[in-house]
Amino acid sequence: QKEVEQDPGPLSVPEGAIVSLNCTYSNSAFQYFMWYRQYSRKGPELLMYTYSSGNKEDGRFTAQVDKSSKYISLFIRDSQPSDSATYLCAMSDQAGTALIFGKGTTLSVSS
Amino acid sequence: GAVVSQHPSWVICKSGTSVKIECRSLDFQATTMFWYRQFPKQSLMLMATSNEGSKATYEQGVEKDKFLINHASLTLSTLTVTSAHPEDSSFYICSASSIGQGPQETQYFGPGTRLLVL
């Protein structure tokens, strides 16, 4: 079983839809959870960072962490065509150590 | 803030040649830099962890003699792919963990270097 599982999609939604992206993980020691957005042929861009369990909101983006279920989510409200990208979840157990990435979910938002 | 650059962005080379990729943190000091490789439609795979002034730590299966990493300062790390072969063609991405730039647990990524070995 891989440490981090993420449905690769692709996920296609119309503009304005609410998007839900998810990852599950197996290592209960993970404490730091991130979501990155990666456009084609570009490096990943940090979107959201969460420590331990809970919710975090930033504009149209909401990140949720449920450590009891080993499940994290990213919600995108009022999705825009510019949100079309690959979204990668990443996590680590200690500060400053390498991240373990999911495979990424490819999202396409049509206008 | 928290900008990481990579140079070059694109490299095409002949089989057997060596290629050096630079990773720089432009506006912050990075305690640690990481090198990842990403194949098409795949996730990022960690190759090595690099701390300034010390030897890099390589992941299992990554040949340290083939992928030479030098972390000369808190703002510069280099990856040299020695005697490159077509199977080394990939997208190489570096990242940096920051001091004083948001949570240290986060990493800021460079734009990546696409290597094509003919």
Side-chain angles (χ1 to χ4, degrees), chain B residues 33-92:
Chain B
M33 288 185 170
F34 304 88
W35 286 96
Y36 295 85
R37 181 166 52 184
Q38 187 177 34
F39 292 105
K41 299 190 185 297
Q42 298 292 319
S43 190
L44 284 75
M45 298 301 296
L46 180 67
M47 298 176 66
T49 302
S50 170
N51 291 293
E52 184 262 343
S54 60
K55 289 185 178 180
T57 302
Y58 291 82
E59 294 300 299
Q60 192 172 10
V62 178
E63 300 175 56
K64 61 180 181 181
D65 294 329
K66 181 168 184 62
F67 298 99
L68 301 178
I69 292 174
N70 186 338
H71 196 153
S73 73
L74 283 172
T75 60
L76 173 64
S77 177
T78 60
L79 168 68
T80 301
V81 184
T82 61
S83 186
H85 291 284
E87 58 266 28
D88 298 323
S89 299
S90 187
F91 191 47
Y92 292 86

Side-chain angles (χ1 to χ4, degrees), chain A residues 11-59:
Chain A
L11 181 61
S12 296
V13 301
E15 183 175 357
I18 297 174
V19 176
S20 172
L21 305 168
N22 313 293
C23 287
T24 59
Y25 62 94
S26 57
N27 187 347
S28 59
F30 286 147
Q31 300 185 76
Y32 306 98
F33 304 92
M34 295 90 176
W35 285 95
Y36 286 87
R37 177 173 61 195
Q38 186 177 25
Y39 292 110
S40 181
R41 300 174 182 270
K42 301 290 185 183
E45 169 195 8
L46 179 66
L47 272 180
M48 301 286 285
Y49 159 78
T50 309
Y51 171 70
S52 193
S53 284
N55 295 356
K56 188 171 186 178
E57 187 173 324
D58 184 1

Side-chain angles (χ1 to χ4, degrees), chain A residues 36-110:
Chain A
Y36 286 87
R37 177 173 61 195
Q38 186 177 25
Y39 292 110
S40 181
R41 300 174 182 270
K42 301 290 185 183
E45 169 195 8
L46 179 66
L47 272 180
M48 301 286 285
Y49 159 78
T50 309
Y51 171 70
S52 193
S53 284
N55 295 356
K56 188 171 186 178
E57 187 173 324
D58 184 1
R60 296 185 294 112
F61 298 90
T62 300
Q64 289 184 352
V65 175
D66 182 348
K67 289 192 70 179
S68 61
S69 303
K70 299 191 184 68
Y71 187 87
I72 69 170
S73 302
L74 177 70
F75 297 95
I76 306 174
R77 291 185 299 280
D78 187 25
S79 56
Q80 302 294 310
S82 58
D83 295 328
S84 299
T86 296
Y87 290 81
L88 298 151
C89 63
M91 47 199 80
S92 68
D93 57 351
Q94 297 180 37
T97 60
L99 299 175
I100 307 299
F101 282 88
K103 269 194 165 183
T105 300
T106 300
L107 171 67
S108 176
V109 181
S110 56

